[in-house]
Amino acid sequence: VSASAEEQSAALQQMANNAKTLTSQSGYLHELAGNFLRNEGQSIGSDRYGVWTDIQTGRIYLISLLGEADMSKVEELRVQILGLRKSIDANFIKAIQEEKNEAALADLKEAFRVWTLFADTRDNELVPLYVQGKKEEAKALAVGIQAERYGKVKELMSKT
């Protein structure tokens, strides 16, 4: 039995709002994000699918991290985010190498460029600010340029 797109979207948002649920349901999250993409009619290659699923998972980990007070859990989430980055980068590179359509290739390359800016800022600025106790600065960065970058990657990845 598959959940509707609305149910899946609500579940993703609920997990993003509840860090304690997130770590116990990360495997389910990958499946849920994938089902959501398929239900939304996304025509996305397997490597692009892997990229987007991992980006969604990482986003939820980051949202959870920014709401977590327990620094040991912050560290666990940080490590999970870094692990996903390796997967995302590898899947982006593979998707770029295999893309035959010039317009789609241009979108993938731009999405990878913006993703790299997003991930570098997250890993080298945003998360360290949060760990240093500068939580408001970290959150401001997250809802500012990082939100814009995430939106741009989402826009480019949803093109076919």
Side-chain angles (χ1 to χ4, degrees), residues 62-117:
L62 181 61
I63 291 168
S64 297
L65 183 148
L66 293 174
E68 185 58 64
D70 181 339
M71 283 298 147
S72 66
K73 290 181 182 172
V74 167
E75 180 59 17
E76 287 175 27
L77 289 164
R78 187 188 72 78
V79 168
Q80 289 177 320
I81 289 167
L82 291 175
L84 278 173
R85 179 168 187 183
K86 292 177 185 175
S87 174
I88 293 166
D89 290 350
N91 280 328
F92 252 126
I93 290 166
K94 187 175 179 188
I96 288 168
Q97 290 170 341
E98 294 177 355
E99 183 58 59
K100 305 291 187 240
N101 179 290
E102 285 188 39
L105 179 60
D107 288 339
L108 270 175
K109 286 180 176 179
E110 179 62 6
F112 187 43
R113 185 190 71 76
V114 176
W115 156 254
T116 301
L117 291 170

Side-chain angles (χ1 to χ4, degrees), residues 2-13 32-37 39:
S2 179
S4 71
E6 294 82 21
E7 291 168 329
Q8 292 171 15
S9 182
L12 284 170
Q13 187 59 49
L32 189 62
N35 288 339
F36 183 73
L37 284 173
N39 287 341

Side-chain angles (χ1 to χ4, degrees), residues 9-72:
S9 182
L12 284 170
Q13 187 59 49
Q14 183 178 22
M15 280 189 252
N17 292 336
N18 186 352
K20 306 221 182 323
T21 303
L22 177 67
T23 55
S24 66
Q25 296 189 6
S26 61
Y28 174 67
L29 177 64
H30 267 63
E31 180 183 343
L32 189 62
N35 288 339
F36 183 73
L37 284 173
R38 284 189 295 277
N39 287 341
E40 289 294 301
Q42 300 280 349
S43 173
I44 194 164
S46 62
D47 296 316
R48 289 177 78 166
Y49 165 79
V51 168
W52 189 242
T53 299
D54 284 348
I55 287 172
Q56 289 295 317
T57 302
R59 177 179 184 231
I60 292 174
Y61 287 161
L62 181 61
I63 291 168
S64 297
L65 183 148
L66 293 174
E68 185 58 64
D70 181 339
M71 283 298 147
S72 66

